Amino acid sequence: MATGDELIALELSSSAFAKRERTEAFHQIYGREILKLDIEPLPDTTLQIDMSLRALPGMSVAVATTSPIFCDHTASMIDGDDPIFVLNLDGAATHRQNGHETLLRPGDALLTTNGLPGTATTHTTRRVINWRISRTLIAPLVRNFDDAVGRPLDKSNPALSFFLDYLGIVNERQTLASPGMRRAVVTHMLDLAALLLGATEDAAEAANRRGVAAARMRAIKAHIHAQADNPGFSLASVVAKQKISKSYVQKLFEIEGTSFTDFVQNHRLSLAYKMLTDPSFASHSISEIAHRSGFNDISYFNRTFRRAFGASPSDVRVRK
C-alpha cells in the first residue's frame, strides 16, 4: 500500500524468470517479500503468475491470473492485520482461514486477513482480484468485523457489483492525477466495502451519500459513453438500465454542477470533434458525422458545435 498520497503501479510476471528457476525465484522475490506467501505449483503443473498491482493511500489492488497453485500464509509471515477482499473472477479455489473453509467459484467473494494463518488452493487457471485495505480504516465502519473473516460475502448484495465496477478506477491514471481524487477514491471504496460487510448505521448513511453515489455516477457515465452516439438515447434509457429514478440521476449531475442533458450533449460534441479532426473520417460528410455523434438535426448540431468550439464543423475540419 502507498504510504503517502502517491499512486504506485507495478506489473509482475513469473515469465520474467527462466523456466528452470521460475518457481524458486518468484517464490523468494515476490511470494515471501511482497505477497507474504509460500507459493508452490500444484503437481504436474508449471508456475505461471501475471499480476498487476496498484497502490493508493491505505489500500492496494492486485489483479492476477495464475496457474493452479498452493499458497500458504504461515504464522511466521504475519505482517500486520490488514483485511483482504478476495474477488474471484474466473476459475475455482479453496480458502481456509479462521476456522472456515470456502470454495470460491466465478463471481464469489471472500474476506481474508494478513493477521491470521491461512491457505488457498487454486484448482484451475484463475483470475482473481485482491483488495487490501488498512484495518484501521475499515474496521470501525463495520458491525462485528472480525466475525466476517474467512466467510464468503453475500453475492446478492448490490454493494458487490458497485464495488467491482468502481474498482476499475485504479487503472485510470488521468482520473487519479490529483491527491484529492486519490483520497476520494479510497473513501468511496471504503464506503462500498462497509456496506458489503454490514455497515454501522452512521457508516451506511455516509456510504449511500458518497460511495454509492460515486459508483452510480460512474456506471451512468459509462452507459452514456457507450450509447450517446445513438440519437434515440435518453434519460429514460438510463433510468431503465440503472433501475433508479429520473430525479436521482438529475440530482447526481447537479452535485457535479451540470445536468444530464448538458453532459450528454458535451460528450456528443466531443465525439464529433474527434471525428472531424481524424483523417480516417475525411471521406465522411459533416451530416454523417453529426448523426454518428447522436445528433438528428444538422442545424442544431452546427449551432451547438459553434457555440462550444468557437468555429463551425467545416472550419474545424479545414484547419486540421
Side-chain angles (χ1 to χ4, degrees):
M1 292 185 288
T3 55
D5 279 336
E6 71 273 22
L7 168 66
I8 298 173
L10 294 172
E11 305 296 328
L12 310 177
S13 177
S14 57
S15 298
F17 306 100
K19 187 172 290 188
R20 64 180 179 276
E21 59 189 32
R22 180 176 299 173
T23 299
E24 184 61 23
F26 192 90
H27 170 70
Q28 287 297 333
I29 296 173
Y30 294 127
R32 281 185 166 271
E33 296 299 322
I34 297 178
L35 305 175
K36 307 299 181 184
L37 295 169
D38 278 327
I39 301 174
E40 297 290 342
L42 295 191
D44 302 320
T45 66
T46 300
L47 179 71
Q48 183 63 49
I49 299 177
D50 297 288
M51 185 179 299
S52 174
L53 292 172
R54 301 290 182 267
L56 293 168
M59 64 169 260
S60 63
V61 180
V63 182
T65 300
T66 78
S67 57
I69 57 175
F70 175 75
C71 297
D72 190 5
H73 181 61
T74 65
S76 64
M77 295 178 181
I78 291 176
D79 180 20
D81 194 18
D82 291 335
I84 299 171
F85 288 70
V86 179
L87 309 162
N88 204 56
L89 303 179
D90 197 16
T94 299
H95 289 254
R96 297 176 179 88
Q97 192 175 56
N98 199 27
H100 303 290
E101 179 177 309
T102 304
L103 174 63
L104 296 185
R105 300 186 185 278
D108 290 338
L110 173 77
L111 180 68
T112 67
T113 178
N114 270 350
L116 294 172
T119 66
T121 304
T122 297
H123 306 293
T124 64
T125 298
R126 181 191 190 195
R127 288 195 309 122
V128 62
I129 298 174
N130 287 343
W131 182 67
R132 177 177 174 177
I133 186 69
S134 170
R135 178 187 172 91
T136 58
L137 295 178
I138 182 68
L141 307 179
V142 178
R143 301 188 304 269
N144 304 319
F145 179 81
D146 290 319
D147 291 345
V149 173
R151 298 179 183 274
L153 303 180
D154 182 4
K155 290 172 62 174
S156 66
N157 189 330
L160 181 58
S161 61
F162 287 148
F163 188 93
L164 280 169
D165 289 343
Y166 194 77
L167 203 56
I169 202 170
V170 298
N171 293 314
E172 299 174 7
R173 285 183 172 272
Q174 187 173 355
T175 303
L176 299 176
S178 72
M181 188 59 191
R182 291 194 286 273
R183 289 191 294 270
V185 166
V186 174
T187 297
H188 297 158
M189 294 301 302
L190 280 166
D191 286 338
L192 297 172
L195 290 176
L196 194 51
L197 294 176
T200 64
E201 185 176 348
D202 289 345
E205 181 181 350
N208 282 297
R209 187 176 66 252
R210 296 180 313 206
V212 173
R216 284 281 194 195
M217 194 60 156
R218 182 174 170 81
I220 290 168
K221 288 180 177 179
H223 188 198
I224 291 171
H225 292 160
Q227 296 291 326
D229 58 345
N230 173 9
F233 177 74
S234 67
L235 176 57
S237 63
V238 171
V239 167
K241 173 72 174 179
Q242 301 297 325
K243 296 180 174 60
I244 50 181
S245 68
K246 289 183 179 180
S247 60
Y248 184 55
V249 174
Q250 291 164 337
K251 180 180 178 181
L252 290 176
F253 280 99
E254 286 172 5
I255 291 171
E256 292 196 355
T258 185
S259 67
F260 173 83
T261 301
D262 287 346
F263 184 88
V264 172
Q265 180 169 284
N266 289 336
H267 180 64
R268 285 172 167 170
L269 289 170
S270 296
L271 289 177
Y273 190 94
K274 288 178 182 178
M275 283 188 273
L276 288 167
T277 56
D278 185 344
S280 64
F281 284 88
S283 63
H284 292 71
S285 68
I286 289 176
S287 61
E288 185 178 357
I289 286 176
H291 187 76
R292 281 173 170 259
S293 303
F295 290 92
N296 268 330
D297 187 329
I298 187 63
S299 296
Y300 177 74
F301 167 69
N302 284 328
R303 291 196 305 274
T304 54
F305 189 95
R306 181 184 289 276
R307 191 160 54 242
F309 300 108
S312 68
S314 57
D315 288 341
V316 168
R317 169 171 274 181
V318 167
R319 288 175 191 170
K320 185 61 178 179

